[in-house]
Amino acid sequence: MAILSVNVNKIATLRNSRGGNVPNLLKVATDLERFGAQGITIHPRPDERHIKYQDARDLKKIVTTELNIEGNPIDSFIKLVDEVRPAQVTLVPDAPDAITSNAGWDTIKHADFLKEIVAHFKAQNIRTSIFVDPVERMIEGAAATGVDRIELYTEDYATQYPQDPQQAIAAYVKAAQRATQLGLGINAGHDLSLDNIKYFSDHIPDLKEVSIGHALISESLYLGLENVVNMYKHRLA
């Protein structure tokens, strides 16, 4: 069974929209774990428009499952991860002005850089993951860096799923099979939802973790946070 890590960026966005501390990010993270979430994911960006760097420090003190920090490994991000030492760091090649992540790494072009960053974090016993598109060459390039896991970028799957689930999942099945052959753990995230998560999970048998934020928080507006967390866990079983 893949574990569910909840991305709380949207909670931070809502908090920041009015200033102050409502909703309380730390309480939400604690509640999510109490409701059954098996991890908390954050993706701090340089402008701190949602997750603030201090949030990472504060969450480290209270998260009892796994803290996953995602981001582009610029200097400030590396220093934050070095300080916080989460269970997992996920390297994402997002531009500073990107609204959200929109592509995986070119692990061939950036091989030397990624090898250096992966080695840096693994030396501190932080599990490492690289965000990649479902392309076998990119999976092979990721494996060559010495990384522990990949995170499959699932926007294409989510977009195609309503029209043709079989076609939507095809590239991901091949990518996952190649990752397993190479000894890589498999995570996944981006636009996964209650509608499409079960089909994805059923077809990626070695899936270790999904990171879900936008859809889960949006669905919770209608269905309630505790209910939605357990609906995801049921679909992942």
Side-chain angles (χ1 to χ4, degrees):
M1 175 180 172
I3 73 166
L4 172 65
S5 185
V6 179
N7 186 315
V8 294
N9 277 26
K10 284 297 183 291
I11 300 299
T13 300
L14 183 59
R15 174 199 63 188
N16 296 350
S17 70
R18 289 290 295 268
N21 198 33
V22 177
N24 185 314
L25 183 74
L26 301 185
K27 184 178 187 307
V28 172
T30 299
D31 287 341
L32 284 165
E33 290 184 314
R34 181 165 55 86
F35 297 155
Q38 297 139 309
I40 300 296
T41 291
I42 56 174
H43 189 144
R45 288 183 165 85
D47 62 5
E48 298 187 299
R49 63 181 180 269
H50 33 63
I51 291 293
K52 300 180 183 299
Y53 277 32
Q54 186 59 43
D55 291 330
R57 300 181 182 102
D58 294 340
L59 284 164
K60 172 64 175 180
K61 298 173 184 176
I62 61 99
V63 168
T64 60
T65 54
E66 287 195 350
L67 179 61
N68 172 42
I69 302 183
E70 301 180 341
N72 194 329
I74 61 175
D75 288 346
S76 59
F77 179 86
I78 293 171
K79 289 177 182 177
L80 178 69
V81 175
D82 286 348
E83 177 185 351
V84 174
R85 298 203 175 189
Q88 178 173 267
V89 57
T90 301
L91 310 180
V92 183
D94 54 343
D97 59 348
I99 295 175
T100 186
S101 306
N102 55 20
W105 284 96
D106 183 332
T107 58
I108 308 300
K109 179 179 179 180
H110 299 288
D112 290 342
F113 174 72
L114 290 170
K115 286 177 184 177
E116 181 181 345
I117 299 299
V118 167
H120 175 84
F121 288 135
K122 288 186 70 173
Q124 301 175 67
N125 295 316
I126 300 171
R127 187 171 70 236
T128 57
S129 179
I130 293 177
F131 197 61
V132 292
D133 296 308
V135 177
E136 290 182 67
R137 286 182 65 250
M138 296 300 111
I139 307 298
E140 292 162 358
T145 69
V147 78
D148 299 302
R149 296 186 184 183
I150 55 164
E151 179 173 334
L152 292 171
Y153 172 45
T154 49
E155 181 180 11
D156 284 348
Y157 164 76
T159 300
Q160 295 180 52
Y161 176 81
Q163 290 76 40
D164 190 340
Q166 188 173 359
Q167 179 61 32
I169 199 70
Y172 292 88
V173 172
K174 290 181 180 179
Q177 289 172 340
R178 187 64 180 129
T180 298
Q181 290 170 355
L182 293 167
L184 295 172
I186 302 167
N187 298 343
H190 202 92
D191 288 349
L192 295 174
S193 70
L194 285 174
D195 291 334
N196 61 40
I197 187 65
K198 180 171 174 52
Y199 190 86
F200 189 88
S201 178
D202 285 348
H203 287 79
I204 310 293
D206 296 322
L207 186 64
K208 291 187 176 296
E209 176 185 311
V210 293
S211 175
I212 304 177
H214 181 79
L216 188 151
I217 300 304
S218 298
E219 291 155 345
S220 297
L221 294 175
Y222 293 93
L223 301 172
L225 199 56
E226 182 174 7
N227 190 32
V228 167
V229 167
N230 285 281
M231 290 171 74
Y232 272 99
K233 290 182 68 180
H234 179 73
R235 285 161 170 76
L236 289 166

